[in-house]
Amino acid sequence: MESRLIRSKPLLALSLLAASLFSHGVMADNEGLAVTPTEVTVGQLHSATGTMAISETGSIQAERLAIEQINASGGILGRQIKVIQEDGASDWPTFAEKAKKLLVNDKVAAVFGCWTSASRKAVLPIFEKENGLLYYPTFYEGLEQSKNVIYTGQEATQQILASLDWIAKTKGAKTFYLVGSDYIWPRTSMKIARKHIENVLHGTVVGEDYYPLGNTQFGSLINKVKLKKPDVVFAAVVGGSNVAFYKQLNAAGVNSSKQTLLTLSVTEDELLGIGGENMAGFYASMKYFQSLDNPNNKAFVEAFKAKYGKDAVIGDVTQAAYLGPWLWKAAVEKAGSFDVDKVVAASPGIELKNAPEGYVKIHENHHLWSKSRIGEVQPNGQFKVIYESDLIEPNPFPKGYQ
């Protein structure tokens, strides 16, 4: 009946629909956003090019899959989601420029984006000034909380501290060599790690080195690791540098039979480039691995591979990115509005009981309750989950680590 009315009297139908929406407060709430009676526009802001593309491509794919599934199920508040995609190009000023375009020019209702903390820090002032809403999917150092960001990855207590506790307990580790890429996330993460190693675990940091993003020469580091013989190499090398780092480690005979290594930043996405044989037996601390054995994850992996090919892999950040559109949908529907302030107010307490990683819930501090997991790298490029914690309450400002 309604579709017949629209075909025969389109202008009248649209005006009646607009009046109805306005009377329910929906269009009034969305003033200034790219929301029409049939469509809502969102932004995607990741590195599709540059050294971070190896890590961020999965996020782009997962967010698109979630949005397609939401649209196929009827959309949000009767509207289909339209996506405007921008490329941050692994360059932080570009991220800031593109964020401003999405919020000011395109007037998107939400943005799903960023990977590195450097890119997030670059766009944060813009989201706060323009009152935009960012869903950020990457595990990160914590020490941040914003009204304008929902953090769908882990913060430090859920990843860094939990994994150090695990390795100290299970391996009796006392000496650690810290290594990372040279920007805010690895440096802050290692600052937190050092405090935990020295003050809580009563261990020793025997070395600490950082390398520029995109660096491919790790010979001197490998020689130092061989000389120091730490119980654990604790690594936060990111992006394309991981390929060179782990291939060179393996070529130099630094493998799991001789050296324990725990990484915060290698997921299945990076392993695709590194090759599982070059990291076999090393460990990664994540909240999600593709190999998780539960019905929700099996359905997610099947849908992802159906869309992106049977050889596609899914890493921790990819899964966390997939959660973004679903959490936004739930908050919008709870608020009955796309208005950022109302969506933000509705977000705490939002639950996803069918997330691939399992149950997740948005905390009042805009982070997620999640589990800590340790995966052991397998030669086939997947991880064997060897440890899983209970749900950990997010605490982005842990006392004594700031």
Side-chain angles (χ1 to χ4, degrees), residues 5 66 95-96 111 141 173 209 217 221 230 243 277 279 308 340 346 369 372 384 388:
L5 175 62
F95 267 92
V111 176
E141 68 280 1
D209 284 298
Q217 301 301 320
L221 169 66
V243 177
E277 69 280 2
M279 278 193 76
Y308 297 111
V340 169
W369 289 78
S372 172
K384 178 183 178 182
E388 178 177 294

Side-chain angles (χ1 to χ4, degrees), residues 27-69:
M27 289 191 75
D29 286 345
N30 300 325
E31 187 177 353
L33 294 177
V35 180
T36 73
T38 59
E39 197 172 70
V40 55
T41 302
V42 301
Q44 259 192 315
L45 179 56
H46 289 290
S47 296
T49 57
T51 190
M52 291 309 304
I54 186 176
S55 299
E56 296 192 59
T57 297
S59 298
I60 296 169
Q61 293 173 331
E63 288 157 2
R64 287 297 182 121
L65 174 62
I67 288 166
E68 277 190 16
Q69 291 174 335

Side-chain angles (χ1 to χ4, degrees), residues 23-283:
S23 69
H24 286 85
V26 177
M27 289 191 75
D29 286 345
N30 300 325
E31 187 177 353
L33 294 177
V35 180
T36 73
T38 59
E39 197 172 70
V40 55
T41 302
V42 301
Q44 259 192 315
L45 179 56
H46 289 290
S47 296
T49 57
T51 190
M52 291 309 304
I54 186 176
S55 299
E56 296 192 59
T57 297
S59 298
I60 296 169
Q61 293 173 331
E63 288 157 2
R64 287 297 182 121
L65 174 62
I67 288 166
E68 277 190 16
Q69 291 174 335
I70 291 168
N71 281 340
S73 68
I76 302 180
L77 298 185
R79 294 161 174 82
Q80 293 287 288
I81 305 170
K82 173 187 172 184
V83 180
I84 296 176
Q85 183 179 339
E86 296 292 347
D87 181 9
S90 305
D91 177 69
W92 323 142
T94 300
F95 267 92
E97 173 194 328
K98 299 296 186 180
K100 188 170 184 180
K101 173 193 175 290
L102 287 169
L103 295 178
V104 176
N105 296 352
D106 300 318
K107 303 187 184 306
V108 297
V111 176
F112 306 97
C114 299
W115 199 102
T116 65
S117 284
S119 62
R120 189 192 70 256
K121 291 289 189 185
V123 306
L124 184 59
I126 297 159
F127 275 86
E128 291 181 339
K129 179 176 183 289
E130 304 299 337
N131 199 29
L133 181 56
L134 172 67
Y135 285 79
Y136 176 68
T138 315
F139 42 80
Y140 86 115
E141 68 280 1
L143 308 182
E144 181 181 295
Q145 182 178 333
S146 173
K147 172 212 159 189
N148 298 91
V149 183
I150 302 293
Y151 306 81
T152 66
Q154 291 173 301
E155 44 75 34
T157 66
Q158 297 168 317
Q159 187 190 30
I160 299 168
L161 305 188
S163 65
L164 285 171
D165 287 345
W166 175 83
I167 203 91
K169 182 178 179 180
T170 59
K171 303 294 181 181
K174 288 293 183 183
T175 59
F176 297 77
Y177 200 115
L178 312 180
V179 57
S181 295
D182 194 5
Y183 73 97
I184 186 171
W185 173 67
R187 281 192 174 272
T188 309
S189 294
M190 293 309 173
K191 181 181 176 184
I192 292 168
R194 178 183 280 273
K195 287 185 177 182
H196 196 65
I197 289 164
E198 294 175 347
N199 300 337
V200 178
L201 302 178
H202 306 296
T204 306
V205 175
V206 298
E208 185 170 1
D209 284 298
Y210 300 92
Y211 295 86
L213 280 168
N215 179 69
T216 58
Q217 301 301 320
F218 292 97
S220 63
L221 169 66
I222 292 168
N223 288 335
K224 285 189 276 187
V225 168
K226 284 182 169 182
L227 182 66
K228 297 284 188 178
K229 294 182 172 60
D231 293 334
V232 177
V233 173
F234 195 57
V237 176
V238 307
S241 293
N242 276 306
V243 177
F245 179 46
Y246 290 103
K247 284 186 174 181
Q248 288 169 28
L249 274 175
N250 192 50
V254 182
N255 54 45
S256 61
S257 67
K258 299 174 181 175
Q259 177 65 62
T260 299
L261 183 145
L262 175 61
T263 175
L264 299 173
S265 53
V266 173
T267 74
E268 290 84 344
D269 296 289
E270 289 81 14
L271 265 182
L272 199 58
I274 296 165
E277 69 280 2
N278 291 306
M279 278 193 76
F282 289 158
Y283 303 106

Side-chain angles (χ1 to χ4, degrees), residues 267-270 288-290 300 313-320:
T267 74
E268 290 84 344
D269 296 289
E270 289 81 14
Y288 170 87
F289 294 100
Q290 183 181 314
F300 171 54
V313 298
I314 305 164
D316 178 275
V317 185
T318 299
Q319 190 264 169

Side-chain angles (χ1 to χ4, degrees), residues 16 20 44 117 244 281 287 368 382:
L16 287 171
S20 171
Q44 259 192 315
S117 284
K287 65 172 182 168
L368 300 186
Q382 286 294 307

